[in-house]
Amino acid sequence: MKLHKVRTYKSAEKLAREDQLAWKIASVAADNVALDADVVEMIGNRIIDNAAVAAASLARRPVVSARAQAVAHPFLPGATVFGLSTAKRVSPEWAAWANGVAVRELDFHDTFLAADYSHPGDNIPPILAVAQHCGLSGAALARGIATGYEVQVNLVKGICLHKHKIDHIAHLGPSVAAGIGTALGLSANVIYQAVQQALHVTTTTRQSRKGAISSWKAYAPAFAGKMAVEAVDRVMRGEGAPSPAWEGEDGFIAWLLSGPGAEYVVPLPEKGEAKRAIMDTYTKEHSAEYQSQALIDLARRMGPKVGDLTKVKDIVIHTSHHTHYVIGTGANDPQKMDPKASRETLDHSIMYIFAVALEDGGWHHERSYAPERANWPETVALWHRISTVEDPEWTRRYHSHDPKEKAFGGRVTVTLQDGSVIEDELAIADAHPLGARPFTRPDYVDKFRTLADGVVEKAEQDRFIATVERLMELKPEELAGLTFTVQPDKLGPAAATGIFDWKR
């Protein structure tokens, strides 16, 4: 890997194109290196992972709404939409939109955390949609996905967005544009312009993940994917972008990040170097914010030791700065302690999550968030006795570049009413690559079958898994098989009327 220093330049300095971050990203995207076997295997795992959470979310209102918008834009050749017949094709940017919302709705797919955080599996729906529409092979799709992961992971390693209250989709737009460029075999110059356009149109605030969190949390990554598809399309037609997008005098770093005096360091592969960043990422065993994964596993382990939870005086979770201030009591969000809060808000309340995981001995993607579950009096009482504090050592480990030391969990102190104390800690989730039970292909398949049960018929599940197994051999006409079809009654209630179907 090569480390690239990125800072603001005055317009009079005339920063050369080759010295700009967007060009360096484009050069990586245009470098058609072979994929390592384990990378191909992991790409297949993440395609399965995305389909699993999409199946479980098909009937949820945000997904129904996004799908209704997509089917209002039929197009040929077009791309497929989860749940619908492969014969029903829509314009690729709208397929990216509908499938992106389905993948993101339950907050249950892969993650990468470093200077910032991300869900790099969000790259897959837009890259797949373009590949289906443009008649690409499975191998071209895989190369595009590898690039999407590579660019997003390395931007997340080098540039912190949340410190400045910028949503992490600002790293996703450029990574999707780069991934589409790789899949299509576009020149570095075209990818360079598309990456900058995508950054420009996907920079939004973090209010989507603050306070009363709405369904936009699921829509935001899909929006970035949709915008990236459109950016690539515009640039292929000869249009340009604001340049230099990151380094410009009035650009991203100068006004939206740490200012003209700041310098960032972004790692990127050297020419000819394999794209392996997907191997640094990890999926979720539990449908909840990633920082809660290890703490759910810890609650599962501590429950029998604590015993009667009515005898708990208080629980303190000692954890990283990020966990404390984003999903802990350091956020100072009263909504995180409110039994009437939305699912999206409860997903960002480690106090609620830890309480329920202690009581139930685990976590369920639907039952654990049910309004009646959140309002159990004993749950509310326990929930309100839980707090978080930042521990500098956990913060240091959270930001460590050593994968063997990097940690996303914490230490939990349970004080009982008789004064006795029970303590335990867990650094990484059981399903993490370095955890107690690392996820492998059978675990991803099991997750898919579990979440698709009762939604996707068994024969259709088998067909989808078999298609993924042949990813690198898939011909263009077979790429439509990287989806699944369900019976109409599994798609949920009809969406409310919108502009696209007004008075139809």
Side-chain angles (χ1 to χ4, degrees), residues 111-451:
T111 303
F112 180 74
L113 305 169
D116 208 77
Y117 44 90
S118 63
H119 299 281
D122 294 330
N123 284 276
I124 296 175
I127 298 172
L128 173 59
V130 170
Q132 289 179 333
H133 170 68
C134 294
L136 304 185
S137 67
L141 168 66
R143 289 194 297 271
I145 291 172
T147 290
Y149 272 80
E150 191 70 41
V151 172
Q152 188 173 15
V153 164
N154 286 306
L155 285 173
V156 169
K157 286 179 178 179
I159 299 177
C160 179
L161 301 173
H162 69 83
K163 175 182 177 182
H164 304 283
K165 312 307 179 189
I166 301 298
D167 198 10
H168 57 65
I169 69 167
H171 287 331
L172 178 62
S175 68
V176 171
I180 292 171
T182 295
L184 291 174
L186 300 179
S187 69
N189 186 55
V190 171
I191 301 171
Y192 159 73
Q193 298 289 358
V195 163
Q196 294 184 107
Q197 271 205 29
L199 173 68
H200 194 68
V201 299
T202 59
T203 300
T204 63
T205 73
R206 273 193 55 81
Q207 191 59 38
S208 58
R209 298 161 207 282
K210 180 75 174 174
I213 302 174
S214 74
S215 58
W216 185 252
K217 184 170 74 73
Y219 277 93
F223 173 78
K226 181 175 181 290
M227 292 296 99
V229 174
E230 294 177 350
V232 176
D233 182 82
R234 283 190 296 269
V235 173
M236 288 176 69
R237 298 176 190 276
E239 305 308 318
S243 300
W246 275 277
E247 301 95 341
E249 189 171 16
D250 286 341
F252 194 55
I253 293 172
W255 287 100
L256 297 171
L257 298 183
S258 292
E263 182 177 89
Y264 294 92
V265 178
V266 177
L268 289 171
E270 299 268 22
K271 184 173 178 57
E273 185 177 353
K275 298 179 174 74
R276 296 189 51 80
I278 193 172
M279 303 306 295
D280 292 339
T281 65
Y282 22 84
T283 194
K284 295 180 177 182
E285 182 179 1
H286 314 294
S287 176
E289 173 79 4
Y290 194 82
Q291 286 87 345
S292 64
Q293 299 293 302
L295 291 169
I296 290 172
D297 292 334
L298 184 57
R300 185 163 56 183
R301 188 167 81 189
M302 292 184 74
K305 301 176 187 177
V306 176
D308 185 355
L309 296 175
T310 64
K311 295 181 180 179
V312 171
K313 178 182 177 183
D314 61 61
I315 298 175
V316 180
I317 301 173
H318 305 262
T319 187
S320 67
H321 176 278
H322 185 84
T323 303
H324 174 55
Y325 284 102
V326 174
I327 64 172
T329 47
N332 293 315
D333 288 344
Q335 297 89 348
K336 286 180 169 47
M337 309 301 287
D338 183 359
K340 294 182 174 56
S342 68
R343 182 192 192 280
E344 291 81 5
T345 299
L346 296 177
D347 170 41
H348 280 59
S349 171
I350 191 57
M351 294 71 68
Y352 173 76
I353 291 170
F354 197 81
V356 172
L358 265 181
E359 291 179 328
D360 296 353
W363 195 257
H364 189 269
H365 67 281
E366 290 180 338
R367 294 192 298 270
S368 297
Y369 290 109
E372 58 272 19
R373 181 68 188 82
N375 281 274
W376 283 6
E378 57 269 38
T379 298
V380 176
L382 179 62
W383 174 6
H384 285 234
R385 291 198 291 270
I386 299 175
S387 62
T388 64
V389 296
E390 181 188 358
D391 183 319
E393 176 60 13
W394 285 102
T395 297
R396 186 192 67 78
R397 292 189 64 184
Y398 180 95
H399 291 293
S400 174
H401 295 292
D402 181 353
K404 294 181 180 179
E405 187 179 50
K406 195 172 184 65
F408 310 112
R411 175 172 56 88
V412 173
T413 302
V414 180
T415 303
L416 303 181
Q417 291 172 356
D418 64 5
S420 58
V421 174
I422 300 167
E423 281 192 314
D424 201 353
E425 66 178 53
L426 187 63
I428 53 177
D430 292 345
H432 187 277
L434 298 177
R437 295 179 288 100
F439 260 41
T440 59
R441 176 60 62 87
D443 297 295
Y444 287 96
V445 171
D446 182 63
K447 181 176 176 180
F448 172 69
R449 294 199 185 278
T450 298
L451 295 182

Side-chain angles (χ1 to χ4, degrees), residues 66-138:
R67 188 168 58 242
Q69 289 183 303
V71 298
H73 295 81
F75 201 76
L76 290 176
T80 62
V81 175
F82 283 129
L84 303 183
S85 166
T86 56
K88 194 174 188 67
R89 300 297 189 98
V90 303
S91 194
E93 77 277 17
W94 285 101
W97 171 253
N99 292 338
V101 175
V103 164
R104 192 69 188 89
E105 163 66 9
L106 291 177
D107 201 355
F108 202 0
H109 66 327
D110 69 9
T111 303
F112 180 74
L113 305 169
D116 208 77
Y117 44 90
S118 63
H119 299 281
D122 294 330
N123 284 276
I124 296 175
I127 298 172
L128 173 59
V130 170
Q132 289 179 333
H133 170 68
C134 294
L136 304 185
S137 67

